[in-house]
Amino acid sequence: MELSPRKQAVLAAVTSAYIKTGEPIGSKALTLLLKNAPSSATLRSEMSELCDLGLLTQPHTSAGRIPTSRGFKLYVDTLMRHDKISESDKAFIDAGLKNLHAAPEEIPRKAGELLSELTGLPAVTCFCTGSSPEIRRAELIPVSRNSVLLLLITKDGRARSQIFRTGLGYTPGLALKFSELVERRVKGRPVTELTKGYMQSVIAGAGSDSLDLAPFMSVLFETAAGIEESDVSLSGETELYNICESEAAARRILSLVSLKEPILSIIDGINGGLGVVFGSETGFRELNSKTVIAAKYGGKDRLKGAVALIGPNRISYDRLIPVVEYTALRLSDIMTEAGQDMEE
């Protein structure tokens, strides 16, 4: 959409002032905001035309104008000045992520908690491997006479464990047979290949040990089934309720996040590593009047994902965009280091 320089200046001034004050902006106020401002009558005419273009709207007959979602988008994409992250925000993020010790899949979630705390907005983090994770290790650890812990670790660093009872009791010999079977038939295989049918064939192939090993392999199947290629989590649920117009609206967004695929599709649609997506563009009614600021990160061995903030249209884009971008950059560094640690 081509706008004259004056219309661009008017839209930018109205949007910037509305973000700061939350109040509709009238022509008289606009004359104080614009350099070499024309008359109030001329500004009223310009704002009226911007309304006709769907970039501004007038909430009440006698009120000034506020930007629409389309107006916010044009402002963010082409009119807003993009600042660098402030030193205080940078220091907060660096301190929070310093010496972060966690499994790779937990690192983005920790960053999301930090981002939500810093901004007062709900944060969404995505963790993806790009392919089904491969099994690196599976072992049995005795807990009691009849209870055993199964520990499962993937090559990308994800760990799952499950305690279960076995009527046979735990013996070192049984654990050794389990380890040998895992080494031959499970280790190095993608989780998606560990189907129920495949695990049944593994048990059948154990020969005379099939009956003894069946309970352990069944638990291994159940545990592996809980490991997915991607994970989406939300931090700052309280903040989500604060930015929504009703409790029902907040619950609808929570449900959308829990489905994973809608959020992943929104982020996949971002061109480049950083983007601002307005809810009206997503096709999801749950996000109407909301904005998603997202940045992608990438680590070693296909560890990748995104970190995002969800907020109302009226937010401080000039501060929040650099904050999200910097968090993603730090995540890229940390995830690369985590991938190297797993190789070692």
Side-chain angles (χ1 to χ4, degrees):
M1 179 182 296
E2 290 290 336
L3 294 181
S4 68
R6 178 183 287 172
K7 282 186 172 58
Q8 290 183 26
V10 169
L11 177 61
V14 170
T15 306
S16 178
Y18 177 68
I19 288 173
K20 291 177 182 177
T21 68
E23 298 292 334
I25 310 302
S27 57
K28 288 184 179 180
L30 201 53
T31 59
L32 303 176
L33 299 174
L34 290 174
K35 187 176 181 179
N36 300 321
S39 66
S40 293
T42 300
L43 291 176
R44 282 196 296 272
S45 176
E46 292 285 4
M47 287 194 289
S48 178
E49 291 180 23
L50 287 170
C51 286
D52 293 338
L53 293 171
L55 300 174
L56 294 181
T57 186
Q58 191 172 24
H60 307 291
T61 304
S62 59
R65 269 69 168 186
I66 64 174
T68 63
S69 292
R70 290 179 63 194
F72 273 115
K73 178 176 174 55
L74 187 59
Y75 171 77
V76 171
D77 289 348
T78 63
L79 304 178
M80 186 186 75
R81 185 182 68 183
H82 290 265
D83 294 329
K84 293 182 178 179
I85 186 172
S86 70
E87 289 301 319
S88 59
D89 285 343
K90 183 178 179 181
F92 185 92
I93 294 169
D94 287 341
L97 296 179
K98 185 178 180 181
N99 301 322
L100 180 60
H101 300 292
E105 65 179 314
E106 291 296 324
I107 293 173
R109 194 171 302 171
K110 298 289 185 183
E113 294 171 358
L114 186 73
L115 192 58
S116 181
E117 180 183 353
L118 176 61
T119 63
L121 293 172
V124 175
T125 53
C126 306
F127 173 81
C128 308
T129 58
S131 61
S132 179
E134 297 179 5
I135 302 299
R136 180 176 186 176
R137 177 182 169 194
E139 66 176 271
L140 300 174
I141 302 172
V143 176
S144 65
R145 177 181 175 84
N146 294 312
S147 297
V148 178
L149 181 143
L150 172 70
L151 175 64
L152 184 64
I153 300 176
T154 63
K155 285 188 176 180
D156 60 25
R158 283 184 264 189
R160 297 288 186 275
S161 61
Q162 184 172 336
I163 296 177
F164 63 101
R165 290 179 57 81
T166 169
L168 300 174
Y170 172 89
T171 66
L174 191 59
L176 179 61
K177 291 177 181 178
F178 174 83
S179 296
E180 290 174 346
L181 188 58
V182 166
E183 186 72 24
R184 293 198 315 268
R185 302 293 304 277
V186 176
K187 184 177 177 181
R189 288 188 174 274
V191 169
T192 51
E193 290 187 9
L194 303 186
T195 62
K196 188 173 183 179
Y198 178 77
M199 296 305 288
Q200 288 175 343
S201 73
V202 171
I203 294 170
S208 59
D209 297 317
S210 295
L211 187 61
D212 293 342
L213 291 174
F216 302 99
M217 300 309 292
S218 294
V219 174
L220 174 57
F221 165 72
E222 294 172 2
T223 307
I227 302 177
E228 301 179 14
E229 294 180 25
S230 61
D231 184 46
V232 176
S233 62
L234 183 139
S235 302
E237 186 172 327
T238 300
E239 284 72 16
L240 177 63
Y241 280 88
N242 289 338
I243 67 167
C244 288
E245 61 276 11
S246 67
E247 184 176 330
R251 287 200 301 267
R252 286 194 293 270
I253 294 179
L254 284 172
S255 297
L256 193 71
V257 173
S258 68
L259 291 174
K260 298 183 181 181
E261 286 305 320
I263 297 298
L264 291 173
S265 68
I266 291 171
I267 291 172
D268 285 342
I270 292 175
N271 293 322
L274 175 70
V276 179
V277 182
F278 291 87
S280 56
E281 302 175 289
T282 66
F284 299 109
R285 291 182 300 172
E286 295 85 349
L287 294 175
N288 279 350
S289 77
K290 298 294 182 289
T291 300
V292 179
I293 302 174
K296 300 175 184 178
Y297 66 82
K300 190 175 178 61
D301 194 26
R302 299 189 302 277
L303 299 180
K304 61 180 182 178
V307 59
L309 289 174
I310 298 177
N313 287 345
R314 180 182 162 254
I315 51 176
S316 300
Y317 296 96
D318 54 346
R319 178 202 173 205
L320 297 176
I321 291 174
V323 164
V324 172
E325 183 179 31
Y326 184 75
T327 303
L329 289 173
R330 291 291 292 117
L331 273 177
S332 292
D333 295 338
I334 294 170
M335 296 299 280
T336 297
E337 293 171 4
Q340 291 172 341
D341 291 343
M342 288 306 301
E343 289 183 353
E344 297 171 1

